[in-house]
């Protein structure tokens, strides 16, 4: 899937997936260590707090990474797709899984047992550095996002989220930029620290002003310029 280019938006290094960071021979060697698994839409691939035994290398399809708090609130932490690795933190630390990973569509992945994965890293310094670089990029991006979100209102965070999704998971249509990952209102809410009801109200406002159109887990952005003004707190008139 080719992300839609939105003028004025800059990409982040953490969006370069793990497999794309490896040389072709290392990538092939790693994939031969595991076995293929197929998951249907809305299936849990990994479970928060459970012991871990393998990492997953995604070949096809998109997943969401979520973490649940003690009070039941579920936060959407990230989206992972083709070329990404998931479950590597538990593999390297030996701790239970810190998040749940759920397929958003049909997913095909390679499962590699922990021992095989760590032996592979020990024999391939380049792959180890690639994984270290990915971890560093993800941490930096998460820190930057927390800093930015801390100074924003929910409306501003939501506009920034839609722009980010359009850039990374958008495809051009005649109407605008359609988000190619099927996220529910609850999942959108979990990404900006808001309630489902608040996200519902924000979407209604955006629809009424012709900024977006929505359907069942479908969303098209027609006025990214308005979203940018909202995200940057530059709101002339009603915004």
């Amino acid at each position: 899937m080719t992300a839609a280019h939105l003028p004025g938006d800059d990409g982040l290094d953490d969006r370069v997936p793990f497999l794309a960071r490896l040389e072709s021979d290392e990538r092939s060697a790693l994939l031969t260590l595991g076995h293929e698994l197929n998951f249907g839409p809305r299936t849990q691939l990994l479970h928060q707090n459970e012991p871990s035994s393998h990492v997953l290398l995604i070949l096809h399809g998109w997943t969401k990474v979520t973490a649940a708090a003690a009070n039941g609130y579920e936060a959407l932490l990230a989206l992972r797709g083709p070329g990404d690795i998931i479950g590597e933190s538990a593999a390297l630390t030996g701790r239970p899984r810190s998040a749940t990973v759920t397929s958003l569509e049909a997913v095909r992945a390679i499962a590699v047992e922990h021992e095989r994965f760590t032996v592979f890293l020990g024999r391939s310094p380049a792959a180890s550095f690639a994984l270290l670089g990915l971890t560093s990029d993800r941490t930096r991006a998460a820190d930057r996002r927390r800093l930015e979100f801390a100074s924003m209102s929910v409306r501003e965070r939501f506009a920034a989220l839609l722009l980010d999704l359009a850039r990374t998971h958008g495809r051009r249509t005649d109407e605008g930029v359609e988000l190619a990952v099927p996220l529910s209102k609850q999942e959108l809410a979990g990404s900006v620290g808001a309630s489902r009801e608040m996200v519902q109200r924000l979407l209604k406002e955006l629809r009424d002003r012709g900024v977006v159109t929505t359907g069942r887990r479908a969303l098209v952005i027609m006025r990214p310029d308005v979203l940018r003004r909202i995200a940057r707190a530059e709101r002339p008139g009603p915004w």
Side-chain angles (χ1 to χ4, degrees):
M1 173 175 56
T2 302
H5 175 68
L6 298 176
D9 295 331
D10 298 319
L12 292 176
D13 291 339
D14 69 301
R15 293 181 185 132
V16 179
F18 179 58
L19 292 180
R21 297 170 184 243
L22 301 180
E23 297 293 337
S24 59
D25 55 340
E26 291 175 328
R27 185 163 55 248
S28 298
L30 176 58
L31 293 175
T32 58
L33 295 178
H35 58 280
E36 185 173 313
L37 296 176
N38 291 279
F39 303 90
R42 300 285 159 176
T43 301
Q44 288 192 347
L45 285 62
L46 305 177
H47 303 265
Q48 184 177 351
N49 297 325
E50 286 192 353
S52 59
S53 61
H54 62 278
V55 301
L56 287 175
L57 302 161
I58 303 176
L59 301 181
H60 174 79
W62 284 92
T63 66
K64 63 171 182 172
V65 182
T66 59
N71 63 2
Y73 184 82
E74 186 177 83
L76 176 63
L77 304 180
L79 299 175
R80 301 288 182 235
D84 275 321
I85 183 171
I86 51 178
E88 75 283 357
S89 177
L92 297 176
T93 64
R95 297 171 182 167
R97 302 202 185 277
S98 59
T100 294
V101 180
T102 307
S103 60
L104 294 172
E105 56 189 359
V107 168
R108 185 162 54 92
I110 297 293
V112 180
E113 297 298 322
H114 281 181
E115 185 176 355
R116 287 189 169 192
F117 181 62
T118 54
V119 168
F120 169 78
L121 292 178
R123 292 176 178 172
S124 174
S128 297
F129 278 113
L131 184 59
L132 180 62
L134 174 65
T135 302
S136 176
D137 288 340
R138 285 179 177 176
T139 300
R140 186 172 63 242
D143 288 346
R144 177 175 139 178
R145 187 182 186 194
R146 277 194 294 270
L147 179 61
E148 290 177 344
F149 273 23
S151 64
M152 290 178 168
S153 67
V154 173
R155 177 178 279 103
E156 291 161 1
R157 292 200 299 270
F158 188 60
L161 171 67
L162 293 183
L163 286 170
D164 190 49
L165 290 173
R167 179 172 55 246
T168 57
H169 304 290
R171 55 191 172 208
R172 287 285 180 186
T173 69
D174 292 338
E175 291 77 26
V177 179
E178 180 183 11
L179 302 190
V181 285
L183 293 174
S184 67
K185 293 183 182 68
Q186 184 61 55
E187 288 160 349
L188 292 171
S191 190
V192 295
S195 67
R196 184 180 184 279
E197 291 72 24
M198 171 61 81
V199 165
Q200 214 160 0
R201 286 198 297 271
L202 292 174
L203 283 173
K204 183 179 184 305
E205 290 178 10
L206 294 173
R207 283 196 306 268
D208 290 346
R209 288 164 171 80
V211 180
V212 304
T213 60
T214 61
R216 179 174 172 78
R217 287 195 175 133
L219 192 151
V220 177
I221 296 172
M222 299 181 292
R223 293 288 307 277
D225 58 311
V226 175
L227 292 178
R228 288 193 194 92
R229 287 206 305 270
I230 299 171
R232 295 168 185 167
E234 299 171 2
R235 302 189 295 276
W239 289 101

